[in-house]
Amino acid sequence: MHTLLLKTFREELGKDRIISVAVPGTNWVFDITELISSHIYLDYINIMTYDIYSERKITSHHCAPKSAAMSPFPCAGLEDNIVLFKEKGIPAEKLIGGVAFYSRIWHHVSSERDGLFAKTDNCADYGPKFCDLTSEFIKNGNFSLYRDESAGGAPYLWNGSDFITFDDEISVYEKCNIIKKYNAGGLMAWEYACDTKENTLLRLMRNRLQ
């Protein structure tokens, strides 16, 4: 049905219209869809490389450029997903990677590894917008900024109890490099309203990829 639906869209809309889909990252998407065959009817495939594993009671990067060295979860990063989709036969120029303009937060986190891949009482909640993650916010919340170099410089904040994972200028710059490295189609973001003060991440994406 998945392939038939997209085939019908293409036949009815013609070759001049753009058809795209948003799909989850990791191999799971290939288990629940017919993307391997249906991609021929698509112009772009937006890989939602955010919210990854945020439904677990263990902290993680929710939008890292690469899969962390310590990650207990496979294929968690943008680069890992680009490679996976290409191995499945999806042309790189159709692949659009995801950037998060929002954060995810876990509360009541155990203190192991400065909160990264640590056990928690609950799954992640939506955290502050990127444009609200200012130095004032970090100072007032007693947060320290950490960066996981093995995950492409993915940032996270930790105050001894709360763990916040997000994209910032460094991780987005690395995502741009990954898109260029594999000649992929580009980047998209969720969601625009979380980067509206100075359009910091949006301008970075535009300038680096144009």
Side-chain angles (χ1 to χ4, degrees), residues 18-69:
I18 292 175
I19 302 176
S20 66
V21 295
V23 300
T26 76
N27 199 65
W28 181 59
V29 66
F30 298 101
D31 295 332
I32 63 173
T33 72
E34 301 164 357
L35 195 59
I36 290 176
S37 58
S38 65
H39 76 83
I40 63 173
Y41 303 111
L42 295 167
D43 295 288
Y44 299 110
I45 297 167
N46 300 302
I47 310 173
M48 298 184 288
T49 47
Y50 39 72
D51 285 341
I52 297 177
Y53 302 113
S54 59
E55 298 303 316
R56 296 173 183 262
K57 293 183 179 181
I58 180 172
T59 64
S60 67
H61 302 298
H62 95 90
C63 52
K66 301 179 180 181
S67 186

Side-chain angles (χ1 to χ4, degrees), residues 1-199:
M1 290 298 295
H2 181 258
T3 303
L4 180 60
L5 176 64
L6 294 178
K7 181 175 183 291
T8 302
F9 281 153
R10 178 56 70 199
E11 291 173 347
E12 293 298 319
L13 294 174
K15 295 182 179 180
D16 296 331
R17 298 292 193 274
I18 292 175
I19 302 176
S20 66
V21 295
V23 300
T26 76
N27 199 65
W28 181 59
V29 66
F30 298 101
D31 295 332
I32 63 173
T33 72
E34 301 164 357
L35 195 59
I36 290 176
S37 58
S38 65
H39 76 83
I40 63 173
Y41 303 111
L42 295 167
D43 295 288
Y44 299 110
I45 297 167
N46 300 302
I47 310 173
M48 298 184 288
T49 47
Y50 39 72
D51 285 341
I52 297 177
Y53 302 113
S54 59
E55 298 303 316
R56 296 173 183 262
K57 293 183 179 181
I58 180 172
T59 64
S60 67
H61 302 298
H62 95 90
C63 52
K66 301 179 180 181
S67 186
M70 294 190 302
S71 176
F73 318 121
C75 249
L78 170 63
E79 183 168 32
D80 308 86
N81 278 289
I82 295 291
V83 171
L84 170 65
F85 278 62
K86 286 186 63 181
E87 289 176 346
K88 295 292 186 179
I90 312 296
E93 61 269 21
K94 292 187 176 186
L95 299 177
I96 308 295
V99 172
F101 285 0
Y102 64 99
S103 67
R104 283 287 195 170
I105 183 170
W106 279 267
H107 300 287
H108 309 298
V109 179
S110 62
S111 60
E112 53 196 316
R113 293 180 294 276
D114 296 318
L116 180 59
F117 301 120
K119 295 180 181 179
T120 69
D121 293 338
N122 299 289
C123 299
D125 293 324
Y126 284 104
K129 302 175 182 178
F130 169 75
C131 56
D132 292 334
L133 288 174
T134 61
S135 57
E136 182 178 352
F137 171 89
I138 294 173
K139 179 180 179 181
N140 291 342
N142 297 313
F143 285 98
S144 296
L145 174 64
Y146 295 85
R147 201 168 294 280
D148 187 348
E149 298 302 334
S150 75
Y156 61 97
L157 299 175
W158 168 244
N159 67 359
S161 177
D162 301 320
F163 177 94
I164 300 177
T165 167
F166 59 104
D167 265 327
D168 68 355
E169 295 94 326
I170 290 178
S171 64
V172 171
Y173 190 89
E174 181 60 24
K175 288 186 175 184
C176 291
N177 290 342
I178 291 168
I179 294 300
K180 293 165 73 73
K181 174 182 177 180
Y182 293 97
N183 293 314
L187 289 171
M188 56 91 176
W190 185 266
E191 49 117 341
Y192 175 70
C194 296
D195 183 35
T196 53
K197 287 184 178 179
E198 297 180 359
N199 298 125

